[in-house]
Amino acid sequence: MDGIRTIARRELQGYFATPLAYVFIVIFLALMGAFTFYLGGFYERGQADLQPFFSFHPWLYLFLVPAIAMRLWAEERKSGSIELLMTLPVTTWQAVLGKFAAAWAFTGVALLLTFPVWITVSYLGDPDHGVIVAGYLGSWLMAGSFLAIGSAISAANRNQVVAFIITVVICFVFLLAGLPLVLDFFSGWLPEPLLDALAGLSFLTHFTAISKGVLDLRDLLYFGLVIGFWLYATAIVVDLKKAD
Amino acid sequence: MIKAEGLTKRYGALTAVDGLSFTVQPGEVLGFLGPNGAGKTTTMRMLAGFVPPTAGRAEVCGFSIEDRPVEAKQRLGYLPEGAPSYGEMTPRAFLAFIAAVRRLSGPERARRIDEVVGRLQLGAVLDRPIETLSKGFRRRVGLAQAILHDPPVLILDEPTDGLDPNQKHEVRQLINGMAADKIIVISTHILEEVDAVCTRAIIIAGGRIVADEKPAGLIARSRYHNAVTLRLAPGGDAAAVAGELRQVPGVAEVEVRDGAVTAFPRPGAALLTAIGDLAGSRGWALDRLELESGRLDEVFRTITTGSAPGRAA
């Protein structure tokens, strides 16, 4: 536990020692506001909830979260600091979890900084706060899933740009797995049960369910499993490729 | 104690390290020598637990680096090749991070950080990002990181690379100062370093050990060992001097190069007195007369390529 915390703290320091953290937070908040109030028609809807706000999260994450994840391991490999990290008395798991925890905590902070939207809707009307809390939770879990995917891809690539692009594509497929755009590609040759399973993998379906305030254990479990699976993959890839 | 048994690393068809076996005891400073690509860095990476061996095993203080990596790494200070670190961090933050990972805390942590900062003279750059520092400072930050927890075993991959002569001297003093009770393994391609800090040298070529000796023993392999060189004053007749030297008992061979005449002894023969007397009696005008101790670079070339002339093999 100590090892994970130490590595996570160092990573977080790294975010704030460079412009990365500030640029990310400013752009995240600016886009979030623009999408919610202009594209989402927050006022025009005349409803006291944050549906238009949360509905844009998956699309923002699609491009912003891989930008954080791409550096997790690719940078360590490129600069050679991975040799230092992996010869310190920490296990691969501690390193993988520490780095992920830092990135996840950072997206959590960015997410919390959207609180003025919550204040606004509370001022204008009488929203269901439980639904909003669920929305934030679901959004954070989804960000974690994107990060876990990005972490594994970053570990497999020394080049950050390549890691970014591949992560975006994989996240895109996961996001839309339940929609015809992805399903049509597979429906010709994949048997029906597998197609259903694929549709069940959609981030969007699970996230929409949570953000409507329906806290189903299966949805939470789903994101937990996705994060666990991709972090496991990260640990394997790190061990295989660290010295390449 | 460090123990390597049949340590082997293959990358596809290429065998980078081929069955290295050796042990290093406390108090020994082992120098790893070899041409570039001989497998020095790969060997050190295997000892430090960064690269898993294809075959064989390595042990640090009784802990297998593969089966008990955390215990082994706790006892190890490692300076990787090129001294990588986190460029955006300052040395102060970086050393604090290493101290935390090494579980140093409280006054002990402050004391150790102060000590390594003093020893490696990092005081002036403590608050500047590491990536803005000169190569010499970055190397010293890497060394500071390696010795921070005062480990019983130190593995240093080219610790003086990129340092100026003064800094090299300081780092060698640092190593000598720690050598008494530690196991230190350094790799280098600077031969004078072997003489300056190592108590034992292993030369590897093509992934195999080709020599494992004390530096004095290596030097004694040189054909120049105990040879006598006469540097003639301008206008001296080198050919005539060489001719006379060939008649001296115990001389195996005489070479003339750039106005200097070198007489190589037969095994065990001592030439200095005889040649000195001869030079006096003949009245040769000499700039210098010297007894050679041996040339490490020549031994190195002979051993690693097998092509240099001479009887040392």
Side-chain angles (χ1 to χ4, degrees):
Chain A
M1 215 40 216
D2 271 2
I4 297 174
R5 201 177 313 134
T6 308
I7 288 172
R9 199 182 312 128
R10 197 214 70 76
E11 285 285 315
L12 270 177
Q13 277 174 4
Y15 292 163
F16 288 95
T18 58
L20 176 84
Y22 307 101
V23 169
F24 180 88
I25 287 177
V26 167
I27 290 182
F28 179 77
L29 295 179
L31 288 179
M32 214 54 121
F35 281 5
T36 307
F37 292 104
Y38 292 97
L39 294 179
F42 179 73
Y43 295 120
E44 291 80 356
R45 287 173 78 240
Q47 290 183 29
D49 64 21
L50 287 182
Q51 277 311 313
F53 169 67
F54 285 122
S55 66
F56 286 108
H57 282 203
W59 308 105
L60 264 180
Y61 286 161
L62 184 58
F63 290 98
L64 290 181
V65 172
I68 294 187
M70 69 180 187
R71 56 184 292 288
L72 278 176
W73 291 97
E75 192 168 85
E76 295 255 4
R77 280 182 55 197
K78 184 140 200 168
S79 77
S81 56
I82 191 167
E83 185 168 359
L84 180 82
L85 180 65
M86 302 314 283
T87 51
L88 289 171
V90 292
T91 61
T92 304
W93 265 110
Q94 286 173 323
V96 168
L97 290 178
K99 279 173 165 289
F100 172 76
W104 203 19
F106 176 66
T107 56
V109 170
L111 194 56
L112 284 181
L113 286 174
T114 61
F115 70 91
V117 183
W118 193 349
I119 293 178
T120 307
V121 79
S122 305
Y123 176 75
L124 292 173
D126 184 20
D128 184 337
H129 292 290
V131 173
I132 293 178
V133 169
Y136 271 107
L137 178 69
S139 174
W140 193 47
L141 282 170
M142 188 169 56
S145 306
F146 278 45
L147 274 176
I149 292 174
S151 164
I153 304 304
S154 173
N157 287 282
R158 193 184 285 262
N159 185 316
Q160 296 196 26
V161 177
V162 173
F164 175 83
I165 294 171
I166 297 178
T167 305
V168 169
V169 170
I170 294 183
C171 288
F172 185 72
V173 170
F174 263 89
L175 198 57
L176 296 183
L179 298 189
L181 179 66
V182 171
L183 284 184
D184 284 352
F185 179 75
F186 293 100
S187 61
W189 47 279
L190 222 56
E192 196 67 23
L194 277 179
L195 214 55
D196 285 347
L198 186 70
L201 284 180
S202 167
F203 281 5
L204 215 49
T205 318
H206 292 279
F207 171 64
T208 309
I210 296 178
S211 70
K212 287 197 170 123
V214 189
L215 271 186
D216 189 329
L217 187 62
R218 278 172 302 181
D219 292 323
L220 299 181
L221 200 63
Y222 166 76
F223 282 118
L225 283 175
V226 168
I227 292 174
F229 171 81
W230 285 97
L231 289 184
Y232 184 67
T234 307
I236 291 175
V237 174
V238 167
D239 267 339
L240 281 178
K241 309 241 337 177
K242 61 188 175 187
D244 281 7
Chain B
M1 189 171 82
I2 288 186
K3 194 170 174 186
E5 281 171 6
L7 218 47
T8 300
K9 183 69 192 178
R10 277 188 284 271
Y11 295 102
L14 175 81
T15 304
V17 175
D18 192 1
L20 295 196
S21 297
F22 57 88
T23 59
V24 195
Q25 303 289 349
E28 276 190 304
V29 180
L30 172 64
F32 252 107
L33 288 168
N36 289 331
K40 298 189 296 277
T41 292
T42 306
T43 304
M44 300 201 123
R45 284 178 168 173
M46 286 194 281
L47 292 178
F50 182 57
V51 170
T54 314
R57 60 199 303 275
E59 247 178 39
V60 175
C61 300
F63 294 101
S64 157
I65 193 75
E66 281 207 282
D67 304 335
R68 307 283 298 277
V70 173
E71 286 88 344
K73 287 169 183 174
Q74 277 164 352
R75 288 157 180 80
L76 202 79
Y78 177 49
L79 173 71
E81 184 185 31
S85 58
Y86 293 103
E88 79 280 1
M89 294 180 103
T90 63
R92 188 190 299 280
F94 179 63
L95 291 176
F97 163 66
I98 299 292
V101 175
R102 298 280 187 192
R103 290 164 186 271
L104 296 170
S105 58
E108 169 73 1
R109 176 183 125 152
R111 195 181 63 75
R112 287 300 310 164
I113 290 183
D114 282 350
E115 184 178 331
V116 297
V117 166
R119 270 186 156 181
L120 291 152
Q121 298 166 10
L122 293 172
V125 299
L126 268 184
D127 294 307
R128 286 171 46 189
I130 294 173
E131 63 199 357
T132 67
L133 301 180
S134 68
K135 204 175 169 193
F137 269 120
R138 281 193 297 231
R139 179 77 34 158
R140 283 189 273 165
V141 169
L143 278 165
Q145 161 278 125
I147 63 173
L148 184 64
H149 56 302
D150 196 18
V153 177
L154 269 176
I155 298 180
L156 310 173
D157 201 345
E158 302 197 342
T160 60
D161 191 37
L163 301 184
D164 68 33
N166 293 333
Q167 295 166 341
K168 277 186 179 143
H169 179 70
E170 281 154 20
V171 167
R172 285 172 197 162
Q173 278 195 320
L174 178 77
I175 293 174
N176 281 330
M178 294 186 300
D181 53 346
K182 285 191 200 311
I183 296 170
I184 302 180
V185 180
I186 68 169
S187 79
T188 180
H189 51 249
I190 307 167
L191 293 165
E192 61 184 82
E193 201 147 281
V194 178
D195 220 9
V197 299
C198 299
T199 60
R200 177 179 164 195
I202 287 184
I203 299 183
I204 56 177
R208 291 168 178 274
I209 295 180
V210 290
D212 181 353
E213 276 198 65
K214 291 189 186 321
L218 276 182
I219 291 177
R221 290 188 183 200
S222 168
R223 63 194 286 260
Y224 284 94
H225 184 57
N226 286 340
V228 174
T229 298
L230 298 84
R231 194 164 289 280
L232 303 181
D237 185 354
V241 170
E244 297 234 31
L245 285 179
R246 285 201 179 86
Q247 311 306 319
V248 175
V251 170
E253 200 181 334
V254 177
E255 249 180 41
V256 180
R257 190 175 291 171
D258 310 330
V261 185
T262 303
F264 297 95
R266 293 184 202 284
L271 301 179
L272 186 62
T273 324
I275 291 179
D277 291 350
L278 182 69
S281 68
R282 293 284 192 276
W284 291 336
L286 297 182
D287 274 351
R288 219 160 62 201
L289 171 70
E290 60 186 336
L291 178 66
E292 305 244 8
S293 61
R295 297 183 185 175
L296 212 44
D297 58 343
E298 181 240 11
V299 176
F300 180 80
R301 261 202 319 280
T302 310
I303 293 180
T304 55
T305 63
S307 64
R311 57 206 157 77

